[in-house]
Amino acid sequence: MLFVVILEMRIVLEEGLFLSDKETILITGGAGFIGSHVADFFLENNFNVIVADNLCSGFFKNINKNAIFYDVDITTNDVENIFKENKIDYVLHLAAQANVGLSIREPMLDAKENILGSINILSLCKKYDVKKIMTASTAAVYGVPKYLPVDETHETICLSFYGLSKLTMEQYFKMFGVDYIIFRFANVYGERQNSKGEAGVVAIFADKMKNNEDVFINGDGEQTRDFVYVKDIAKACYSAVKSDVKNEIINVSTNKRISINNLFFEMAKIFNYKKKPFYNKERAGDIKHSVLDNKKCALLLNCIPETSLRDGLLKLGGLEGDL
């Protein structure tokens, strides 16, 4: 069943948000961590925004009051009602099954959400003449890096069904006949990121430190990652919509890496956390070092994430400008 919520519709109409002279973007997964920030950014920049989310991993509280919300699963026929009822100019497809462990345990579910759900959205974009669709793939498609930083020409060797389903999704985007941009994001962090389940290490550390709980690090902590602030991701998505760039795969990253040990110590200072970390065994299948090359993003979209890790962590801790 399709459930539509027009948030604060009276206010929306009085402010003229959904006037015909504004372009409209549909954001699938728009109640999630990344999607909700992207929705906010597009609303701030004079777009009509429609959010489609089944609230399986997203949260109603994340949805901007000036967006139209459809409670709908992307794998169902109900999604077409969004296109029938609204003139959609662009689609940002972020709805996905993103839990690596779950993809191993339930590959059928993973494939249904990430492959069949994407095909459903692509079919509707083609049927209703959407100008361009952007989607989030994953750096997991690169597998163990053969060189650093990893650029978009790096070979793809998936180590999980999640990576495989995302890579398969990419192939459908390339062949479907709809203008597209495929993003491969580095490790995204920031406000609203859930610290439960298959969460990012920054969210997990922040939650533990705020509650003065023990922090555990897998392996020796010398593994390195490239962390990009979520609002910089939103800017990259906006740049993709506003540009004439199409039919490209683009990394979004800072092109800088930090060890998990150094991340811990940086966050401990910001959150005034006094405990030392505990070390677990290294997780099977974990990649030792990962950093994505962002030259293509700079060249094509004139966009490079500008928020330093320290500044992003300060914002996450609500301490911006205090240190």
mmCIF file of all heavy atoms in Angstrom, residues 130-159:
data_model
loop_
_atom_site.group_PDB
_atom_site.id
_atom_site.type_symbol
_atom_site.label_atom_id
_atom_site.label_comp_id
_atom_site.label_asym_id
_atom_site.label_seq_id
_atom_site.Cartn_x
_atom_site.Cartn_y
_atom_site.Cartn_z
ATOM 1 N N VAL A 130 12.701 11.156 -17.463
ATOM 2 C CA VAL A 130 13.527 11.847 -16.472
ATOM 3 C C VAL A 130 14.830 12.305 -17.136
ATOM 4 O O VAL A 130 15.419 11.578 -17.935
ATOM 5 C CB VAL A 130 13.813 10.906 -15.277
ATOM 6 C CG1 VAL A 130 14.899 11.471 -14.369
ATOM 7 C CG2 VAL A 130 12.538 10.677 -14.498
ATOM 8 N N LYS A 131 15.270 13.503 -16.813
ATOM 9 C CA LYS A 131 16.443 14.076 -17.475
ATOM 10 C C LYS A 131 17.724 13.310 -17.151
ATOM 11 O O LYS A 131 18.580 13.100 -18.019
ATOM 12 C CB LYS A 131 16.608 15.543 -17.068
ATOM 13 C CG LYS A 131 15.476 16.443 -17.503
ATOM 14 C CD LYS A 131 15.657 17.854 -16.949
ATOM 15 C CE LYS A 131 14.491 18.750 -17.309
ATOM 16 N NZ LYS A 131 14.614 20.114 -16.715
ATOM 17 N N LYS A 132 17.874 12.939 -15.881
ATOM 18 C CA LYS A 132 19.110 12.262 -15.464
ATOM 19 C C LYS A 132 18.862 11.585 -14.125
ATOM 20 O O LYS A 132 18.145 12.113 -13.280
ATOM 21 C CB LYS A 132 20.260 13.271 -15.353
ATOM 22 C CG LYS A 132 21.616 12.655 -15.051
ATOM 23 C CD LYS A 132 22.777 13.613 -15.390
ATOM 24 C CE LYS A 132 22.697 14.957 -14.743
ATOM 25 N NZ LYS A 132 23.856 15.821 -15.058
ATOM 26 N N ILE A 133 19.479 10.421 -13.956
ATOM 27 C CA ILE A 133 19.401 9.717 -12.686
ATOM 28 C C ILE A 133 20.810 9.557 -12.125
ATOM 29 O O ILE A 133 21.741 9.185 -12.844
ATOM 30 C CB ILE A 133 18.697 8.347 -12.823
ATOM 31 C CG1 ILE A 133 18.658 7.625 -11.463
ATOM 32 C CG2 ILE A 133 19.342 7.481 -13.891
ATOM 33 C CD1 ILE A 133 17.809 6.357 -11.459
ATOM 34 N N MET A 134 20.967 9.870 -10.849
ATOM 35 C CA MET A 134 22.219 9.655 -10.124
ATOM 36 C C MET A 134 22.003 8.533 -9.121
ATOM 37 O O MET A 134 20.909 8.394 -8.589
ATOM 38 C CB MET A 134 22.644 10.922 -9.370
ATOM 39 C CG MET A 134 23.228 12.025 -10.241
ATOM 40 S SD MET A 134 22.047 12.895 -11.298
ATOM 41 C CE MET A 134 20.726 13.333 -10.225
ATOM 42 N N THR A 135 23.032 7.748 -8.872
ATOM 43 C CA THR A 135 22.900 6.673 -7.903
ATOM 44 C C THR A 135 24.188 6.490 -7.121
ATOM 45 O O THR A 135 25.260 6.910 -7.563
ATOM 46 C CB THR A 135 22.516 5.343 -8.587
ATOM 47 O OG1 THR A 135 22.105 4.399 -7.591
ATOM 48 C CG2 THR A 135 23.686 4.761 -9.375
ATOM 49 N N ALA A 136 24.069 5.861 -5.964
ATOM 50 C CA ALA A 136 25.233 5.541 -5.138
ATOM 51 C C ALA A 136 25.571 4.075 -5.309
ATOM 52 O O ALA A 136 24.774 3.206 -4.969
ATOM 53 C CB ALA A 136 24.945 5.858 -3.673
ATOM 54 N N SER A 137 26.741 3.811 -5.849
ATOM 55 C CA SER A 137 27.289 2.469 -5.834
ATOM 56 C C SER A 137 28.154 2.367 -4.577
ATOM 57 O O SER A 137 27.771 2.874 -3.533
ATOM 58 C CB SER A 137 28.096 2.194 -7.109
ATOM 59 O OG SER A 137 28.574 0.867 -7.114
ATOM 60 N N THR A 138 29.310 1.783 -4.656
ATOM 61 C CA THR A 138 30.136 1.615 -3.464
ATOM 62 C C THR A 138 31.594 1.396 -3.843
ATOM 63 O O THR A 138 31.895 0.810 -4.902
ATOM 64 C CB THR A 138 29.652 0.411 -2.626
ATOM 65 O OG1 THR A 138 30.586 0.161 -1.568
ATOM 66 C CG2 THR A 138 29.556 -0.848 -3.477
ATOM 67 N N ALA A 139 32.485 1.837 -2.973
ATOM 68 C CA ALA A 139 33.909 1.563 -3.168
ATOM 69 C C ALA A 139 34.209 0.080 -3.024
ATOM 70 O O ALA A 139 35.292 -0.383 -3.430
ATOM 71 C CB ALA A 139 34.728 2.368 -2.162
ATOM 72 N N ALA A 140 33.253 -0.682 -2.480
ATOM 73 C CA ALA A 140 33.451 -2.120 -2.299
ATOM 74 C C ALA A 140 33.627 -2.852 -3.628
ATOM 75 O O ALA A 140 34.156 -3.966 -3.658
ATOM 76 C CB ALA A 140 32.274 -2.716 -1.534
ATOM 77 N N VAL A 141 33.214 -2.233 -4.736
ATOM 78 C CA VAL A 141 33.365 -2.903 -6.029
ATOM 79 C C VAL A 141 34.826 -3.037 -6.435
ATOM 80 O O VAL A 141 35.174 -3.868 -7.283
ATOM 81 C CB VAL A 141 32.577 -2.176 -7.148
ATOM 82 C CG1 VAL A 141 31.098 -2.115 -6.805
ATOM 83 C CG2 VAL A 141 33.133 -0.793 -7.418
ATOM 84 N N TYR A 142 35.716 -2.233 -5.837
ATOM 85 C CA TYR A 142 37.133 -2.285 -6.193
ATOM 86 C C TYR A 142 37.861 -3.474 -5.565
ATOM 87 O O TYR A 142 38.953 -3.833 -6.002
ATOM 88 C CB TYR A 142 37.833 -0.998 -5.767
ATOM 89 C CG TYR A 142 37.380 0.243 -6.494
ATOM 90 C CD1 TYR A 142 36.890 1.340 -5.799
ATOM 91 C CD2 TYR A 142 37.451 0.326 -7.883
ATOM 92 C CE1 TYR A 142 36.490 2.496 -6.453
ATOM 93 C CE2 TYR A 142 37.041 1.472 -8.545
ATOM 94 C CZ TYR A 142 36.557 2.560 -7.826
ATOM 95 O OH TYR A 142 36.154 3.694 -8.483
ATOM 96 N N GLY A 143 37.295 -4.057 -4.523
ATOM 97 C CA GLY A 143 37.969 -5.142 -3.839
ATOM 98 C C GLY A 143 39.241 -4.668 -3.151
ATOM 99 O O GLY A 143 39.332 -3.525 -2.687
ATOM 100 N N VAL A 144 40.238 -5.529 -3.069
ATOM 101 C CA VAL A 144 41.517 -5.154 -2.470
ATOM 102 C C VAL A 144 42.286 -4.279 -3.462
ATOM 103 O O VAL A 144 42.572 -4.720 -4.581
ATOM 104 C CB VAL A 144 42.345 -6.405 -2.119
ATOM 105 C CG1 VAL A 144 43.693 -6.000 -1.532
ATOM 106 C CG2 VAL A 144 41.590 -7.297 -1.142
ATOM 107 N N PRO A 145 42.614 -3.038 -3.083
ATOM 108 C CA PRO A 145 43.259 -2.127 -4.031
ATOM 109 C C PRO A 145 44.602 -2.654 -4.535
ATOM 110 O O PRO A 145 45.423 -3.151 -3.760
ATOM 111 C CB PRO A 145 43.443 -0.844 -3.214
ATOM 112 C CG PRO A 145 42.425 -0.929 -2.129
ATOM 113 C CD PRO A 145 42.318 -2.381 -1.798
ATOM 114 N N LYS A 146 44.811 -2.522 -5.844
ATOM 115 C CA LYS A 146 46.099 -2.854 -6.433
ATOM 116 C C LYS A 146 47.052 -1.669 -6.354
ATOM 117 O O LYS A 146 48.264 -1.828 -6.470
ATOM 118 C CB LYS A 146 45.909 -3.258 -7.894
ATOM 119 C CG LYS A 146 45.014 -4.479 -8.097
ATOM 120 C CD LYS A 146 45.660 -5.737 -7.526
ATOM 121 C CE LYS A 146 44.893 -6.991 -7.918
ATOM 122 N NZ LYS A 146 43.535 -7.066 -7.352
ATOM 123 N N TYR A 147 46.501 -0.475 -6.185
ATOM 124 C CA TYR A 147 47.292 0.746 -6.028
ATOM 125 C C TYR A 147 46.439 1.780 -5.316
ATOM 126 O O TYR A 147 45.211 1.654 -5.248
ATOM 127 C CB TYR A 147 47.761 1.276 -7.391
ATOM 128 C CG TYR A 147 46.636 1.502 -8.388
ATOM 129 C CD1 TYR A 147 45.879 2.680 -8.386
ATOM 130 C CD2 TYR A 147 46.322 0.529 -9.342
ATOM 131 C CE1 TYR A 147 44.863 2.887 -9.295
ATOM 132 C CE2 TYR A 147 45.296 0.725 -10.252
ATOM 133 C CZ TYR A 147 44.574 1.909 -10.231
ATOM 134 O OH TYR A 147 43.552 2.110 -11.141
ATOM 135 N N LEU A 148 47.093 2.785 -4.748
ATOM 136 C CA LEU A 148 46.419 3.878 -4.044
ATOM 137 C C LEU A 148 46.924 5.216 -4.568
ATOM 138 O O LEU A 148 48.107 5.357 -4.859
ATOM 139 C CB LEU A 148 46.678 3.777 -2.536
ATOM 140 C CG LEU A 148 46.133 2.535 -1.808
ATOM 141 C CD1 LEU A 148 46.601 2.530 -0.355
ATOM 142 C CD2 LEU A 148 44.609 2.496 -1.871
ATOM 143 N N PRO A 149 46.064 6.229 -4.660
ATOM 144 C CA PRO A 149 44.616 6.136 -4.465
ATOM 145 C C PRO A 149 43.947 5.378 -5.614
ATOM 146 O O PRO A 149 44.464 5.333 -6.725
ATOM 147 C CB PRO A 149 44.182 7.599 -4.423
ATOM 148 C CG PRO A 149 45.189 8.314 -5.266
ATOM 149 C CD PRO A 149 46.486 7.609 -5.020
ATOM 150 N N VAL A 150 42.783 4.822 -5.338
ATOM 151 C CA VAL A 150 42.046 4.032 -6.311
ATOM 152 C C VAL A 150 41.236 4.969 -7.216
ATOM 153 O O VAL A 150 40.417 5.744 -6.733
ATOM 154 C CB VAL A 150 41.095 3.054 -5.605
ATOM 155 C CG1 VAL A 150 40.257 2.290 -6.624
ATOM 156 C CG2 VAL A 150 41.881 2.083 -4.729
ATOM 157 N N ASP A 151 41.495 4.915 -8.515
ATOM 158 C CA ASP A 151 40.702 5.720 -9.448
ATOM 159 C C ASP A 151 39.617 4.857 -10.085
ATOM 160 O O ASP A 151 39.530 3.647 -9.844
ATOM 161 C CB ASP A 151 41.594 6.391 -10.494
ATOM 162 C CG ASP A 151 42.367 5.387 -11.346
ATOM 163 O OD1 ASP A 151 41.889 4.243 -11.512
ATOM 164 O OD2 ASP A 151 43.450 5.743 -11.848
ATOM 165 N N GLU A 152 38.813 5.507 -10.917
ATOM 166 C CA GLU A 152 37.638 4.838 -11.470
ATOM 167 C C GLU A 152 37.985 3.761 -12.501
ATOM 168 O O GLU A 152 37.115 2.963 -12.879
ATOM 169 C CB GLU A 152 36.695 5.869 -12.091
ATOM 170 C CG GLU A 152 36.045 6.808 -11.088
ATOM 171 C CD GLU A 152 36.914 8.017 -10.732
ATOM 172 O OE1 GLU A 152 38.090 8.062 -11.173
ATOM 173 O OE2 GLU A 152 36.407 8.916 -10.018
ATOM 174 N N THR A 153 39.246 3.732 -12.984
ATOM 175 C CA THR A 153 39.651 2.716 -13.944
ATOM 176 C C THR A 153 40.160 1.448 -13.262
ATOM 177 O O THR A 153 40.462 0.458 -13.935
ATOM 178 C CB THR A 153 40.750 3.249 -14.885
ATOM 179 O OG1 THR A 153 41.936 3.519 -14.130
ATOM 180 C CG2 THR A 153 40.286 4.528 -15.582
ATOM 181 N N HIS A 154 40.271 1.466 -11.936
ATOM 182 C CA HIS A 154 40.735 0.296 -11.194
ATOM 183 C C HIS A 154 39.816 -0.886 -11.479
ATOM 184 O O HIS A 154 38.602 -0.733 -11.605
ATOM 185 C CB HIS A 154 40.743 0.618 -9.699
ATOM 186 C CG HIS A 154 41.421 -0.399 -8.834
ATOM 187 N ND1 HIS A 154 40.852 -1.613 -8.526
ATOM 188 C CD2 HIS A 154 42.621 -0.374 -8.200
ATOM 189 C CE1 HIS A 154 41.672 -2.291 -7.736
ATOM 190 N NE2 HIS A 154 42.757 -1.560 -7.524
ATOM 191 N N GLU A 155 40.388 -2.075 -11.582
ATOM 192 C CA GLU A 155 39.560 -3.249 -11.839
ATOM 193 C C GLU A 155 38.584 -3.486 -10.692
ATOM 194 O O GLU A 155 38.810 -3.051 -9.564
ATOM 195 C CB GLU A 155 40.446 -4.491 -12.020
ATOM 196 C CG GLU A 155 41.216 -4.902 -10.791
ATOM 197 C CD GLU A 155 42.079 -6.131 -11.050
ATOM 198 O OE1 GLU A 155 41.761 -6.886 -12.002
ATOM 199 O OE2 GLU A 155 43.053 -6.340 -10.326
ATOM 200 N N THR A 156 37.491 -4.141 -11.004
ATOM 201 C CA THR A 156 36.458 -4.416 -10.005
ATOM 202 C C THR A 156 36.467 -5.906 -9.663
ATOM 203 O O THR A 156 36.232 -6.746 -10.538
ATOM 204 C CB THR A 156 35.074 -3.993 -10.518
ATOM 205 O OG1 THR A 156 34.847 -4.566 -11.815
ATOM 206 C CG2 THR A 156 34.997 -2.475 -10.640
ATOM 207 N N ILE A 157 36.760 -6.203 -8.413
ATOM 208 C CA ILE A 157 36.756 -7.575 -7.912
ATOM 209 C C ILE A 157 36.001 -7.571 -6.588
ATOM 210 O O ILE A 157 36.541 -7.171 -5.555
ATOM 211 C CB ILE A 157 38.186 -8.116 -7.710
ATOM 212 C CG1 ILE A 157 38.989 -8.040 -9.023
ATOM 213 C CG2 ILE A 157 38.138 -9.560 -7.204
ATOM 214 C CD1 ILE A 157 40.417 -8.505 -8.888
ATOM 215 N N CYS A 158 34.769 -8.008 -6.616
ATOM 216 C CA CYS A 158 33.916 -7.913 -5.427
ATOM 217 C C CYS A 158 34.234 -9.018 -4.424
ATOM 218 O O CYS A 158 34.489 -10.160 -4.790
ATOM 219 C CB CYS A 158 32.447 -7.992 -5.832
ATOM 220 S SG CYS A 158 31.957 -6.690 -6.969
ATOM 221 N N LEU A 159 34.204 -8.648 -3.143
ATOM 222 C CA LEU A 159 34.480 -9.590 -2.067
ATOM 223 C C LEU A 159 33.225 -9.985 -1.298
ATOM 224 O O LEU A 159 33.296 -10.749 -0.344
ATOM 225 C CB LEU A 159 35.504 -8.975 -1.095
ATOM 226 C CG LEU A 159 36.832 -8.540 -1.700
ATOM 227 C CD1 LEU A 159 37.721 -7.918 -0.638
ATOM 228 C CD2 LEU A 159 37.535 -9.713 -2.367
#
